[in-house]
Amino acid sequence: MGASANDALSEAEAHRVRTLAEGLGAAIARAECILITGATTGLPDLVAQAFRHHGGFALGVSPAENHREHVGRYGLPDDGADVIIYTGFGYKGRNVINVRSADIVLIIGGATGTLNEFTIAYDEGKIIGVLEGSGGVADHLNEIIEFCKKPSTGAVFLDRDPVKLVTRCVDAFASSLAAL
């Protein structure tokens, strides 16, 4: 989950976090996970490209009800995932599907849509990884958690290193399975 092109990343910000996004995508692929994305632009697209380049399978969940609306109305790419599911639920509905379908939610950069995805994941007790130093809401989520003072049954991991972040999240998920 992260900043789309609509989140007005400046050219300098986009360039700075490109390496982080590519590292995150590669780390997810090496962990042999399936990637669920919003089938969108920006940082999630960069992560998905790197992930797929490293042999991963990406599932895109679109806010649109069909391909024409996905590309035309929403202006989203049709090549950012191996398979795209068209929900017709708009952005907020898509966000709920993405979060509920994921065992681990990773946050990179982001604005209000990413904050929405984070709060859904936090409220639902998901394992959440936040890539610090990626800008946007990702760099403020620790403050938001402290400000809200709401406990979660999940776990939130913050790290500046994409590989370490993915490893911590996957290890936490494996531990949760072992506890069952």
Side-chain angles (χ1 to χ4, degrees), residues 15-164:
H15 180 69
R16 182 181 61 78
V17 294
R18 177 179 295 277
T19 302
L20 288 173
E22 291 168 352
L24 185 59
I28 297 167
R30 281 193 297 274
E32 298 181 353
C33 296
I34 293 174
L35 179 67
I36 300 172
T37 77
T40 191
T41 59
L43 297 178
D45 186 49
L46 291 173
V47 171
Q49 286 178 35
F51 173 78
R52 292 173 71 208
H53 177 77
H54 285 87
F57 178 84
L59 174 68
V61 180
S62 173
E65 69 177 61
N66 56 41
H67 179 266
R68 186 182 62 215
E69 188 178 65
H70 179 81
V71 174
R73 176 179 175 201
Y74 288 96
L76 300 175
D78 62 359
D79 63 350
D82 295 293
V83 173
I84 297 176
I85 296 172
Y86 301 104
T87 65
F89 291 151
Y91 286 120
K92 300 306 176 251
R94 181 217 39 205
N95 292 351
V96 171
I97 291 170
N98 277 354
V99 170
R100 287 192 173 165
S101 299
D103 296 314
I104 298 168
V105 174
L106 298 171
I107 307 287
I108 178 170
T112 57
T114 307
L115 181 59
N116 175 249
E117 292 160 332
F118 170 79
T119 59
I120 295 165
Y122 189 84
D123 284 346
E124 296 198 0
K126 295 288 184 170
I127 296 167
I128 303 169
V130 180
L131 190 56
E132 292 182 302
S134 61
V137 299
D139 288 347
H140 298 280
L141 290 177
N142 201 33
E143 296 166 66
I144 292 169
I145 293 167
E146 289 178 28
F147 176 79
C148 292
K149 296 182 183 1
K150 180 179 181 184
S152 175
T153 58
V156 179
F157 300 98
L158 299 103
D159 208 304
R160 291 184 169 276
D161 182 312
V163 174
K164 289 179 183 175

